[in-house]
Amino acid sequence: MTARRATAISGEVNVPGDKSISHRALMFGGMATGSLRVRGLLEAEDVLNTAAAMRALGADIERQGDGVWRITGAGVGGLSQPQAPLDFGNAGTGTRLIMGVIAGHDMTVQLIGDASLSSRPMGRVLNPLKQMGLEVLDGTRDTLPLTIRGTASLLPIDYELPVPSAQVKSAILIAGLMARGETTVLEHEATRDHTERMLRYLGAEVRTEQRGRLRAITIAGDAELVGRDIVVPGDPSSAAFLVAAAVMVPGSEVTVKGVLVNETRSGFYTTLQEMGADVTFLNAREEGGEQVADIRARSSQLRGVTVPSERAPSMIDEYPVLAAVASLAQGETRMQGLAELKVKESDRLAATAEGLQVNGVAAEIDGDNLVVTGAAQIAGGGTVATHLDHRIAMAFLTLGLAANEPVTVDDAGIIATSFKEFTGLMTELGAKFEAPGSSGQ
Ligand code: S3P
């Protein structure tokens, strides 16, 4: 697909539900006692794979309408042996969190995924879960396909996260629900806290406290979850592309309504404001236990900034699109501490730098940092390799809206894993995209 320079990106839109919260709603709903209704569930491939997996594990899950799903859970520890491998497609979150679910059940399950997912490290989740009692039947291999065996008698652990990862934290906390006693995860940097919030909302005992420089999250085992309705707010990681387009394309003004602005997720917006972008949270409110706002963005003159590594967990999925924005900032934008970007759906650090370079933007990788030197114009004209990574595809289609020459991404199909409405919504706002083989407009 190819993106051409747009005249303005303007209008008011909603984005689909948050991906992280949607995965959790399906899993925790499927482990609850009784029924609950989820509204605003993201109906993208990654999340649909989690729904299919939870059904295969015995949860009763029914789609009732657009984003409205009814789940009747099997109770904590009450899921059953699936009859076939669970296929998570492209989804790291689904895979890693389900490992925590399986860990506490007496069952043997094979997990499979696409080429991208099959190259991602699973040891970070398997190591703590093995300490709790999970068995891995594939020796020391730590990539999919993997066959794992859980146990109904899990041990609680105290575990200091070696990497700032909400997926690892969540897998341990989920397993902790089914362990005998209290499980504690210690984190150096706050990562997204949707697991803690939702488990607490459904009745689990979850405590968070500061222990020196570490944040300790403790969950009580032998837990019960009760079915309570869940509302999923708009995904800030999806909204980021629309906001970036508005900021970059002259004469634009976009409002994205009902977006999650939980501070463990809003680092991208903080950074845009520091760069001088006209981005404002309007109508801030609490919905379903999460902070939500309407985000208004207008085209802006931008300056380069240093983005400190401590901020990385709160904007980890937004670096490709921030790098696109930085291409138009005056001076250097230095994004620090991006080691985790190398193990996303692709090596996002390399994919982002290469995508910028083929479009004439000065970008270089300096250790774990990405440095982009902005200019008044983006040349464009390049073809970007997406490497089965939806966010690379969307970031560079966004870049193309503000570039002199068209920008092509080699695979836009992968966008459906998280945000299938992306091209439609952007087009409604004024974007110009051409599918391969079409004559364009
Ligand atoms: C997620 C956590 C992040 C993020 C991913 C979703 C989650 O991954 O990149 O898109 O829902 O917990 P890590 O935990 O590996 O940083």
Side-chain angles (χ1 to χ4, degrees):
M1 176 168 286
T2 298
R4 288 183 184 277
R5 189 173 184 84
T7 42
I9 299 294
S10 294
E12 217 176 74
V13 281
N14 288 292
V15 282
D18 184 66
K19 180 146 76 83
S20 294
I21 295 181
S22 296
H23 280 299
R24 286 159 174 82
L26 289 165
M27 286 192 203
F28 304 165
M31 296 173 79
T33 305
S35 293
L36 62 86
R37 185 171 283 133
V38 186
R39 287 179 200 283
L41 190 90
L42 172 66
E43 295 175 333
E45 286 170 8
D46 279 8
V47 173
L48 296 179
N49 284 329
T50 291
M54 288 305 293
R55 272 196 195 116
L57 287 164
D60 186 359
I61 299 180
E62 183 201 348
R63 182 178 189 273
Q64 297 189 315
D66 267 4
V68 183
W69 292 59
R70 181 156 197 86
I71 306 172
T72 305
V76 176
L79 294 167
S80 45
Q81 171 74 45
Q83 296 312 308
L86 302 183
D87 186 349
F88 279 93
N90 192 253
T93 305
T95 308
R96 294 193 175 118
L97 268 56
I98 210 79
M99 288 176 171
V101 174
I102 293 165
H105 291 84
D106 195 0
M107 56 171 72
T108 303
V109 181
Q110 191 186 26
L111 301 172
I112 58 175
D114 72 5
S116 154
L117 185 57
S118 303
S119 69
R120 298 182 66 185
M122 296 297 153
R124 50 180 54 203
V125 175
L126 295 173
N127 292 336
L129 294 180
K130 282 199 269 190
Q131 290 180 21
M132 298 177 84
L134 180 80
E135 272 182 81
V136 178
L137 308 185
D138 299 280
T140 54
R141 193 155 50 79
D142 82 336
T143 50
L144 299 194
L146 282 168
T147 303
I148 59 176
R149 181 185 296 156
T151 168
S153 47
L154 273 189
L155 300 171
I157 56 169
D158 278 14
Y159 192 78
E160 188 174 322
L161 292 182
V163 284
S165 165
Q167 294 177 357
V168 179
K169 169 177 71 176
S170 298
I172 300 168
L173 293 176
I174 294 167
L177 285 171
M178 296 170 279
R180 299 188 180 145
E182 291 195 331
T183 293
T184 299
V185 180
L186 295 147
E187 54 181 11
H188 291 258
E189 291 155 73
T191 62
R192 67 191 68 194
D193 59 359
H194 311 306
T195 296
E196 296 91 304
R197 283 173 187 263
M198 198 183 292
L199 288 179
R200 213 177 272 134
Y201 173 75
L202 298 178
E205 215 180 296
V206 186
R207 284 195 317 274
T208 301
E209 69 209 352
Q210 206 59 34
R211 285 199 199 158
R213 287 185 14 259
L214 302 182
R215 214 165 94 107
I217 304 115
T218 299
I219 191 154
D222 289 323
E224 279 193 33
L225 300 178
V226 284
R228 284 181 73 188
D229 292 351
I230 294 171
V231 179
V232 183
D235 194 325
S237 299
S238 298
F241 301 104
L242 312 184
V243 166
V247 167
M248 294 169 76
V249 177
S252 301
E253 175 171 330
V254 166
T255 302
V256 192
K257 290 186 292 180
V259 183
L260 174 74
V261 291
N262 174 324
E263 65 179 22
T264 64
R265 295 289 298 282
S266 55
F268 170 71
Y269 299 98
T270 307
T271 305
L272 285 185
Q273 285 165 344
E274 286 175 3
M275 295 173 84
D278 185 348
V279 172
T280 315
F281 289 177
L282 302 170
N283 200 9
R285 56 206 184 262
E286 198 181 301
E287 271 176 24
E290 289 280 7
Q291 282 303 117
V292 172
D294 305 330
I295 304 180
R296 190 193 64 204
R298 295 177 172 144
S299 43
S300 311
Q301 293 293 320
L302 302 163
R303 54 181 177 271
V305 294
T306 293
V307 188
S309 55
E310 315 82 80
R311 195 177 295 160
S314 69
M315 54 178 294
I316 194 66
D317 293 333
E318 282 68 76
Y319 283 103
V321 72
L322 180 70
V325 174
S327 310
L328 283 177
Q330 193 185 9
E332 198 175 273
T333 296
R334 179 170 282 270
M335 294 160 252
Q336 297 176 323
L338 305 189
E340 278 297 298
L341 277 198
K342 298 177 195 166
V343 290
K344 293 297 173 191
E345 285 83 331
S346 66
D347 176 347
R348 268 188 196 156
L349 186 53
T352 302
E354 279 163 26
L356 292 173
Q357 287 158 358
V358 298
N359 284 293
V361 177
E364 64 174 81
I365 297 170
D366 171 18
D368 289 338
N369 307 324
L370 176 63
V371 185
V372 177
T373 305
Q377 300 194 2
I378 299 167
T383 296
V384 177
T386 56
H387 303 284
L388 287 178
D389 189 330
H390 54 132
R391 297 202 198 278
I392 294 297
M394 290 186 278
F396 284 100
L397 288 173
T398 303
L399 182 93
L401 301 177
N404 293 344
E405 296 298 324
V407 172
T408 299
V409 301
D410 67 352
D411 175 17
I414 196 67
I415 293 172
T417 60
S418 72
F419 190 9
K420 59 182 186 305
E421 300 80 354
F422 170 79
T423 48
L425 281 179
M426 279 282 212
T427 304
E428 245 174 65
L429 295 173
K432 292 184 182 141
F433 295 131
E434 275 165 34
S438 82
S439 55
Q441 43 182 321

